[in-house]
Amino acid sequence: MATVQKQVKGSDSEIVNFLLSLDPPRIIIPDCDPEQFEKFISVNSRFLRISLIEGQLEIMPPLPVHIESSAGECQINFQVCRWCEDNENLGAFRLLKLEDSNYPNKRTILSPDCAVVLKDRWDSLTDDAKRTSYPPVAPNFVIELLSKYDSAQLLHKKMLQWVNAGVDEAISIDLNMDPSEVRIYSFDPDANKVVWDTKEDSVEVRSRVLEGFVLNMQKVRRSMYLH
């Protein structure tokens, strides 16, 4: 832990180089309170991918390190933003359903590759909650694109977290596999558990939550192959 803390306090390039020397390239720091998280975010958020899960800080390499995934995420966000109009397309969320009220300092804050909060859900928040850095609301819809630095197992765990937090539809995309794989996660109230459908080499993905939205997978692939 002492070595990790020393590296986290280093320069941006030192932190990134240290992360890339790990397998998988991520640092886990337990018992991170909200003040420590805010302080770390304010200094490093431009360079690193950072999540807080039940008070545990998770630090991953910056997206530009893997330019193919970054280009793919930009294409996904472009398509979703064209659909959004009056709905909110945001970056990071505090997920109250994944927190234990008995431990108020152990917060959960996740940032998906792409997310949409529909207007009705967004309008249910108070004005003060809307203005916070990490609105206390689960998106209706999220997409996560697996990079070469992440594992399919960790992505699957994250998708389960999203749905258990209240996300209606969570889509994971793995273009590293052959054939490529798309999973669409949702909560089945009859079975009282998270379920998912798996599709291989999809040409498009139709959302069940964003009415009329169709993700063009060919454009996502092309954007990644161009880099």
Side-chain angles (χ1 to χ4, degrees), residues 123-155:
D123 287 346
S124 69
L125 297 177
T126 65
D127 289 341
D128 286 342
K130 291 177 182 178
R131 287 192 290 266
T132 59
S133 300
Y134 313 105
V137 61
N140 296 85
F141 173 89
V142 300
I143 297 178
E144 298 279 12
L145 176 63
L146 184 71
S147 80
K148 291 180 180 178
Y149 287 111
D150 294 320
S151 73
Q153 293 82 3
L154 287 174
L155 178 61

Side-chain angles (χ1 to χ4, degrees), residues 113 163 190 195:
D113 293 331
V163 177
D190 295 327
V195 297

Side-chain angles (χ1 to χ4, degrees), residues 58-198:
E58 183 176 283
I59 307 166
M60 293 159 284
L63 289 174
V65 169
H66 186 200
I67 194 167
E68 292 91 349
S69 290
S70 184
E73 289 170 23
C74 287
Q75 173 58 223
I76 290 169
N77 276 283
F78 175 75
Q79 292 187 45
V80 171
C81 284
R82 291 185 63 185
W83 180 91
C84 273
E85 295 184 356
D86 294 331
N87 301 292
E88 297 294 328
N89 179 232
L90 303 170
F93 305 87
R94 183 179 173 193
L95 303 176
L96 299 179
K97 284 189 176 181
L98 299 184
E99 297 179 3
D100 187 334
S101 59
N102 295 315
Y103 300 95
N105 281 335
K106 292 191 175 183
R107 295 185 181 176
T108 294
I109 298 172
L110 294 179
S111 178
D113 293 331
C114 181
V116 176
V117 182
L118 295 178
K119 191 173 187 301
D120 287 348
R121 185 172 293 189
W122 181 250
D123 287 346
S124 69
L125 297 177
T126 65
D127 289 341
D128 286 342
K130 291 177 182 178
R131 287 192 290 266
T132 59
S133 300
Y134 313 105
V137 61
N140 296 85
F141 173 89
V142 300
I143 297 178
E144 298 279 12
L145 176 63
L146 184 71
S147 80
K148 291 180 180 178
Y149 287 111
D150 294 320
S151 73
Q153 293 82 3
L154 287 174
L155 178 61
H156 176 69
K157 180 180 178 181
K158 189 175 184 181
M159 304 312 287
L160 295 178
Q161 288 174 323
W162 278 121
V163 177
N164 283 322
V167 170
D168 299 317
E169 182 176 49
I171 298 174
S172 70
I173 301 173
D174 184 354
L175 298 180
N176 302 315
M177 295 181 63
D178 187 16
S180 63
E181 182 178 282
V182 172
R183 288 187 182 182
I184 304 173
Y185 295 74
S186 61
F187 187 80
D188 184 341
D190 295 327
N192 194 33
K193 65 178 182 180
V194 179
V195 297
W196 57 90
D197 294 329
T198 302

Side-chain angles (χ1 to χ4, degrees), residues 17-33:
N17 288 336
F18 177 65
L19 279 166
L20 294 178
S21 72
L22 305 176
D23 184 20
R26 59 178 23 87
I27 297 172
I28 303 296
I29 301 178
D31 300 324
C32 178
D33 64 38

